[in-house]
Amino acid sequence: AGDVLYLALEDTGRRLPSRLAAVLGGDPAPARLHLATECAALTDGGASRIGLWLDEHPDARLVIVDVFTKIRGTTDGNEGRYESDYRAMSALKDLADEAGVAFLVVHHTRKAVSEDFIDAVSGTQGLAGAADAILVLARSRGTAQAVLKVTGRDIEEADHALDFDSHTGTWQLLDGPAA
């Protein structure tokens, strides 16, 4: 158990309570869940603010950034896109490593089809290169089934079959192979 910071950067103060009510089945949110719908860009003090929150919550276990694009910040005109992506994701990884806290960073995928699911991550390979693990949720529009594809430095690559429960707004892991 520990503190969790959820940066729900695509939500509003009105939408977030209704989403929580659905996921929690009407139960109150845990006292150690800290919610925010705004955060400065990493390059404009956002990384420092997250670092301060981590300092103030030494029992923190998880930081969720939903969605990365909102805090990524601007690119430096003197560096390439790969370097810029790597630098931005590394800012979060450095915070995670320093605090010993897991970070879950939600990011969008490209709409183009690719053989390697890592190529589905929007942006350059710099994002994947800086992260410890990549998880891609792949589903066809309008369906409740999906495959969660996982790879990383310290985990075995795998595909997991999921089913979406629209009443609770959660994904359920299905038994058996993803196929």
Side-chain angles (χ1 to χ4, degrees):
D3 294 303
V4 174
L5 175 60
Y6 177 33
L7 299 174
L9 305 175
E10 289 188 320
D11 284 322
T12 62
R14 288 180 39 186
R15 182 174 182 235
L16 196 53
S18 64
R19 290 184 67 204
L20 278 175
V23 170
L24 297 173
D27 290 338
R32 297 178 82 179
L33 174 62
H34 304 266
L35 305 170
T37 57
E38 295 179 3
C39 183
L42 295 170
T43 55
D44 293 333
S48 296
R49 297 277 311 217
I50 296 168
L52 285 173
W53 185 89
L54 289 165
D55 290 343
E56 293 168 2
H57 298 86
D59 293 328
R61 297 292 177 262
L62 176 64
V63 174
I64 303 167
V65 177
D66 184 9
V67 64
F68 180 64
T69 301
K70 290 280 194 171
I71 66 166
R72 184 180 185 284
T74 57
T75 59
D76 180 345
N78 294 324
E79 69 183 351
R81 290 181 59 216
Y82 178 94
E83 290 79 11
S84 179
D85 283 348
Y86 191 90
R87 180 178 44 80
M89 187 60 72
S90 290
L92 294 176
K93 181 169 175 5
D94 291 346
L95 287 168
D97 289 346
E98 288 169 18
V101 173
F103 272 55
L104 174 64
V105 181
V106 179
H107 187 56
H108 294 287
T109 57
R110 297 181 312 119
K111 304 307 177 212
V113 178
S114 58
E115 278 188 45
D116 186 345
F117 73 92
I118 298 295
D119 293 335
V121 176
S122 182
T124 70
Q125 292 292 332
L127 296 174
D132 283 334
I134 303 295
L135 294 83
V136 173
L137 183 67
R139 75 168 179 90
S140 297
R141 184 176 294 281
T143 65
Q145 289 78 39
V147 175
L148 181 65
K149 298 174 175 288
V150 180
T151 193
R153 291 186 177 103
D154 300 317
I155 57 174
E156 188 174 325
E157 193 164 300
D159 292 354
H160 301 284
L162 304 176
D163 190 54
F164 187 72
D165 181 342
S166 61
H167 298 296
T168 61
T170 60
W171 290 97
Q172 306 298 315
L173 182 64
L174 299 176
D175 290 331

